[in-house]
Each structure stands twice: as structure tokens, then as C-alpha cells.
Amino acid sequence: MNNTIIMDHPLIKHKISLLRDKNTGSKEFRELVSEVAMLMCYEATRDLPLKEVEIETPLAVARSQVINSVKIAFVPILRAGLGMVEGMLSLIPAAKTGHIGMYRDPETLAPKEYYCKLPMDVASRQCYILDPMLATGGSAIGAVQVLKDYGVKNIKLLCIIAAPEGLKALSEAHPDVQIYCAHLDEKLNAEGYILPGLGDAGDRIFGTK
Ligand code: PRP
Ligand code: URA
């Protein structure tokens, strides 16, 4: 799928191994999710526009480059996406953060939206949807649709682990959305969990199970 970029960095691979480990506790899990998000942010912002500036160093004037004013919003899907926000903000502290609440109905796996609060000028922002898990793709497809309904044109989605089923569904529903995925896993199980995956990301981040 040419709208999908799968990460290929040793640091990300190493940290994902630690995330998968069932013996990794909540504190370390949260830190790792944040670190992986920061590394993914580096990759997902590779196309930000630059402009030339002149900077006086202690020795001379340097022609240099800075990011050309671009308005950015990070949009975590609650709950688990919250774990990625800090890592993203550590690289782009001026970004605004919007929140979309989605949970999967445990029976049907259909996404249910229960909360939405976005920056007022979200339509003019480059938006990065954050969610560690792309399983059936229902939550991500729903979140993209919410942003499009608000008029957002420029949307990227960052997920740490994706199932092939979710990637396909999201790409078909929203082919204009660029997907950054830290690792592509094998498949979904009958309950809609990613295999081998890392379990329930929200529960592991917040220690609710
Ligand atoms: C998880 C995860 C995604 C969703 C992925 O959230 O964080 O949002 O499942 O599954 P999907 O691709 O099949 O939609 P969950 O519904 O468990 O809610 P939580 O983050 O509040 O735990
Ligand atoms: N949500 C998760 O947190 N984990 C999965 O494996 C699938 C959906």
C-alpha cells in the first residue's frame, strides 16, 4: 500500500520488543510508548516545509533553515492515543492537541464515538491522529471521518502496531491519509486483538487490568 510507511529503525524495533513483553509494567510501558511516538514523529514530519534564514553565529552569518510556519494538531484517540502525545509534543511543543474519544464495542468491534474536542482552527491544521493500535481499523476510520467532517484536509495517522486487516480497511476508506506504522503484525484473532501484538494498549498504559 503506497500510502503506508513502515518504520525500519533499530531503536523502534528494540522498544517494540520491550512493549510486547507481558512482564513490562505500566510505568515502563508508558515511557516506551512515548519514546516510540517521538521517534515516529521524527519520520512523520520529514515533509514539513522549510524556509531560508540568516543566523548570526558567534563567528559569522550562516544561511540556515527553519520550519516555515505550519500549524500542527495532534489528535490522540482516547484512551490509548494519549500515551503518544507527550513524545510528539517533546519535538513540536507549539502543536495544539485535540481529543477524539472512541471505544470498540466488545461484541461487534464497531467504534463508538463518545467525545470530541478539537482546536477551533483545526480545519487549517496539519493533523496527526495518534493511536498505538490499528486492529480492525474501525476506530481510525471513524476518527479520520470526524476530522474530515470538521474540514481538515491534511491528515496523517501514526500507529505503533497495525494488523494487515486494519491497514487495508483504513487505506480503502481514506486513501488520502498517509499512515505511519512502527510495525506490521500478522493478523487479528477472533476477538479482534492483534497477534502477536502487545495486548490491550489502553489497559497497559493506564494499568486498568
Ligand atoms: C483500542 C486502540 C484503538 C482501537 C483499535 O482502543 O487504542 O483505539 O482499540 O481497534 P480497531 O482498529 O479495531 O478499532 P479501545 O477501544 O480498546 O479503547 P481504549 O483506548 O479506551 O482502551
Ligand atoms: N486494541 C488494543 O489495545 N489491542 C489490540 O490488540 C487490538 C485493539
Side-chain angles (χ1 to χ4, degrees):
M1 276 164 276
N2 55 11
N3 66 337
T4 302
I5 294 176
I6 301 187
M7 306 286 113
D8 186 25
H9 196 288
L11 282 173
I12 292 184
K13 289 180 190 293
H14 181 86
K15 289 176 192 297
I16 286 178
S17 300
L18 299 173
L19 280 172
R20 289 193 194 281
D21 189 335
K22 66 179 183 185
N23 296 312
T24 298
S26 276
K27 176 177 181 290
E28 194 186 353
F29 192 90
R30 270 196 305 277
E31 290 166 356
L32 287 162
V33 166
S34 186
E35 288 165 5
V36 172
M38 187 175 71
L39 294 166
M40 293 183 76
C41 180
Y42 173 81
E43 198 56 47
T45 52
R46 195 174 271 288
D47 59 351
L48 287 180
L50 293 166
K51 67 176 178 191
E52 294 268 335
V53 291
E54 286 191 348
I55 305 277
E56 279 186 47
T57 79
L59 299 175
V61 173
R63 290 200 62 74
S64 200
Q65 293 182 315
V66 294
I67 291 170
N68 200 1
S69 55
V70 54
K71 296 196 295 180
I72 289 176
F74 299 136
V75 184
I77 302 179
L78 307 180
R79 287 175 302 168
L82 286 175
M84 298 175 72
V85 174
E86 198 184 311
M88 302 290 292
L89 283 174
S90 68
L91 291 189
I92 310 185
K96 303 272 189 251
T97 305
H99 297 86
I100 296 177
M102 293 263 177
Y103 73 91
R104 294 198 310 175
D105 182 295
E107 301 299 324
T108 64
L109 302 183
K112 307 272 184 202
E113 185 187 333
Y114 62 89
Y115 184 77
C116 182
K117 184 78 180 174
L118 300 168
M120 270 178 25
D121 58 353
V122 71
S124 60
R125 288 184 178 265
Q126 160 74 60
C127 288
Y128 297 80
I129 297 177
L130 311 175
D131 194 329
M133 309 306 278
L134 182 70
T136 65
S139 305
I141 291 169
V144 171
Q145 194 55 54
V146 169
L147 291 186
K148 287 187 173 177
D149 291 346
Y150 273 82
V152 181
K153 300 273 179 307
N154 216 331
I155 304 174
K156 297 184 186 221
L157 181 127
L158 276 63
C159 60
I160 296 182
I161 305 276
E165 296 90 331
L167 266 189
K168 182 166 181 290
L170 177 57
S171 301
E172 285 174 3
H174 298 293
D176 53 314
V177 170
Q178 181 86 54
I179 306 167
Y180 293 84
C181 167
H183 197 275
L184 178 59
D185 267 18
E186 284 165 29
K187 58 179 179 181
L188 294 177
N189 72 9
E191 287 78 42
Y193 276 86
I194 301 173
L195 293 178
L198 47 72
D200 188 306
D203 282 339
R204 294 195 66 188
I205 289 170
F206 296 106
T208 40
K209 228 174 226 170

